[in-house]
Amino acid sequence: MSDDVATTAGGPPWSTLSHLECPRCGDRLDASVHQGLCPRDGSPLLARYDLGAVVVTPDDVARRAPDLWRYHEVLPVQSPAGVVTLGEGMTPLLDLPRLAEDLDVGRLLVKDEGLLPTGSFKARGAAVGVSRAAELGVRGLAMPTNGNAGAAWAAYAARAGIPLLVAMPVGAPTITRAECVAAGAQLHLVDGLISDAGKLVAAAVADDPERWTDVATLKEPYRIEGKKTMGFEIAEQLGWRMPDVIAYPTGGGVGLIGIWKALHELLELGWISGPMPRLVAVQSTGCAPIVRAFEAGADVSEPWVGASTVAFGITVPKALGDFLVLQAVRETGGTALAVDDAELLEELRVVGAREGLFLCPEGAAVVSAVRRLRGSGWIGADEEVVVLNTGAGIIYPDAVSVDVGGEVPVVAKDGRLDVRTP
Ligand SMILES: *Cc1c(COP(=O)(O)O)cnc(C)c1O
Ligand SMILES: [Zn+2]
């Protein structure tokens, strides 16, 4: 990054962040101080950039280090000194030819986010969110989580030297508890869902607002800026163009909104052209508020009662950014659909056996959804489809092992292996 430091003195700005904007009422807010939700209507705020001031070209970007900070002009952190990093970004965009044949789609690619620090794409949001919070002088961070975000924010908060308060459902993947504790976060387990944890965190923050800042999903504007880099990377890895379809496992929907935002920014920069990919929001039948709203033609979702699925990362009964997810899906001619646990766990095995990838349940749900959409003809036989695998299968031992490996017999040490002929 030393080259960039040199060119920053008197040269183009390291970040072109200009202001924050409310997507609901259109108000502009000052980005140089910490902001939560829109004071007028409670909507999430979005970061806006002076894209006309971006002088770098795609070729310049290609020569930079392979991490998400290569897009620093369109990220909110103001200088290289503000970057809190664990080496996140530029995950593989892998061709899945055998699975594509099985699904009968023209080309199928997976963006494998399981290789990121802490094992999920939450590292992107945490890297940018924590860096910007530290830069703005925030004293302590507090958040509810379904596990992966807590693990990621704990790691980056530790690296930034900022205290983190985490509340997660007692049913969240146990490894994420260990990650929070190992990184020195203050962890609270909640006998309830992420929505319940969110209320408890909000109350704790209200009790001591000087000490804690609520950084729950979309309650601050910078987590999404980290997640949008998935969109930048997909475009760059395809040679600065877009696929026909991008399918994403949707909980709070930040990743999907982020990819949509990133592609719009690239269009405005003139780095890509052509129609947007159709964005597909995939949920579980055990928690599908966005799908229900999409099918009903509604602009917002209703809270899902009794949410439960092995795809824990997408167990979000009511998302703050639901209206943006629905807008992104509709504007791009996309769709929303839900798959059930048995179906996604079966798919997880198919993908493992055909391509050697141990997807997380959320990623497997997306492949199941693509299989269905191809079956119904919504996806054409010659189309190019990108699926997001948002985490590593290995961080879900308890959710997956019973269903995937539970029937494997144990043999006595003086016994005989019952070998099957392949
Ligand atoms: C958080 C999470 C999701 C959902 O992400 P959103 O951007 O909030 O929709 C999907 N998969 C995994 C593995 C997650 O941890
Ligand atoms: Zn507003």
Side-chain angles (χ1 to χ4, degrees):
M1 255 181 258
S2 52
D3 289 358
D4 295 316
V5 182
T7 53
T8 299
W14 207 70
S15 165
T16 62
L17 178 68
S18 57
H19 63 281
L20 300 172
E21 185 181 278
C22 174
R24 196 171 273 148
C25 71
D27 269 8
R28 289 169 71 107
L29 285 99
D30 183 1
S32 68
V33 292
H34 172 79
Q35 305 272 7
L37 298 170
C38 174
R40 191 195 291 271
D41 53 34
S43 164
L45 299 172
L46 298 177
R48 296 298 182 206
Y49 299 84
D50 178 10
L51 296 176
V54 174
V55 292
V56 77
T57 66
D59 283 347
D60 297 329
V61 168
R63 283 190 290 272
R64 293 180 177 168
D67 61 45
L68 62 78
W69 301 100
R70 68 206 267 113
Y71 308 111
H72 62 76
E73 284 89 350
V74 276
L75 291 173
V77 176
Q78 295 298 298
S79 79
V83 169
V84 180
T85 182
L86 290 163
E88 57 288 334
M90 212 35 102
T91 54
L93 183 66
L94 294 170
D95 242 307
L96 304 179
R98 301 182 70 204
L99 192 62
E101 202 182 318
D102 188 43
L103 267 61
D104 186 31
V105 295
R107 190 180 181 200
L108 183 68
L109 300 124
V110 63
K111 181 80 174 145
D112 191 4
E113 297 284 292
L115 295 169
L116 287 166
T118 71
S120 86
F121 81 115
K122 292 295 196 299
R124 294 182 189 268
V128 176
V130 169
S131 295
R132 185 65 181 144
E135 198 170 62
L136 292 172
V138 168
R139 281 181 67 198
L141 305 166
M143 67 192 306
T145 175
N146 269 335
N148 289 335
W153 282 68
Y156 287 87
R159 199 138 161 96
I162 301 180
L164 177 73
L165 172 71
V166 184
M168 78 167 71
V170 69
T174 50
I175 196 155
T176 61
R177 292 184 199 173
E179 290 180 274
C180 289
V181 172
Q186 184 184 148
L187 175 65
H188 299 264
L189 296 175
V190 177
D191 183 13
L193 295 175
I194 188 168
S195 39
D196 304 302
K199 284 176 199 144
L200 296 177
V201 167
V205 171
D207 282 346
D208 196 351
E210 294 301 309
R211 179 162 308 279
W212 302 111
T213 297
D214 195 335
V215 292
T217 301
L218 290 174
K219 281 197 179 172
E220 57 74 52
Y222 300 117
R223 182 197 294 221
I224 183 173
E225 293 305 290
K227 289 190 174 184
K228 82 178 180 187
T229 59
M230 289 187 287
F232 291 156
E233 289 183 17
I234 290 169
E236 182 175 353
Q237 289 171 314
L238 288 174
W240 298 108
R241 60 173 189 84
M242 296 184 277
D244 296 305
V245 172
I246 297 180
Y248 179 81
T250 306
V254 192
L256 189 122
I257 307 165
I259 290 170
W260 181 52
K261 184 174 189 284
L263 295 178
H264 273 293
E265 287 170 357
L266 291 179
L267 281 169
E268 207 178 320
L269 283 167
W271 289 16
I272 54 175
S273 59
M276 288 281 273
R278 285 148 31 230
L279 298 178
V280 178
V282 180
Q283 299 201 296
S284 157
T285 52
C287 182
I290 301 281
V291 174
R292 196 167 57 184
F294 178 78
E295 287 172 352
D299 293 334
V300 293
S301 66
E302 294 302 322
W304 189 271
V305 179
S308 169
T309 165
V310 294
F312 213 80
I314 54 175
T315 319
V316 180
K318 165 74 185 170
L320 203 54
D322 54 0
F323 67 106
L324 294 171
V325 175
L326 289 160
Q327 204 183 322
V329 166
R330 290 195 177 116
E331 187 206 275
T332 59
T335 189
L337 73 163
V339 299
D340 66 39
D341 283 1
E343 192 179 350
L344 72 88
L345 288 168
E346 169 65 24
E347 196 73 69
L348 194 145
R349 299 179 66 155
V350 170
V351 179
R354 293 208 175 244
E355 301 284 1
L357 283 170
F358 187 5
L359 301 182
C360 62
E362 296 83 352
V366 175
V367 176
S368 287
V370 169
R371 188 181 293 278
R372 285 237 214 126
L373 291 172
R374 177 66 197 104
S376 70
W378 192 89
I379 292 176
D382 55 355
E383 291 201 289
E384 182 178 53
V385 179
V386 171
V387 297
L388 272 297
N389 179 48
T390 40
I394 52 171
I395 61 180
Y396 286 78
D398 25 40
V400 176
S401 61
V402 178
D403 306 270
V404 173
E407 77 278 21
V408 179
V410 177
V411 184
K413 65 183 176 205
D414 56 354
R416 196 163 179 281
L417 299 182
D418 180 18
V419 176
R420 289 162 296 168
T421 311

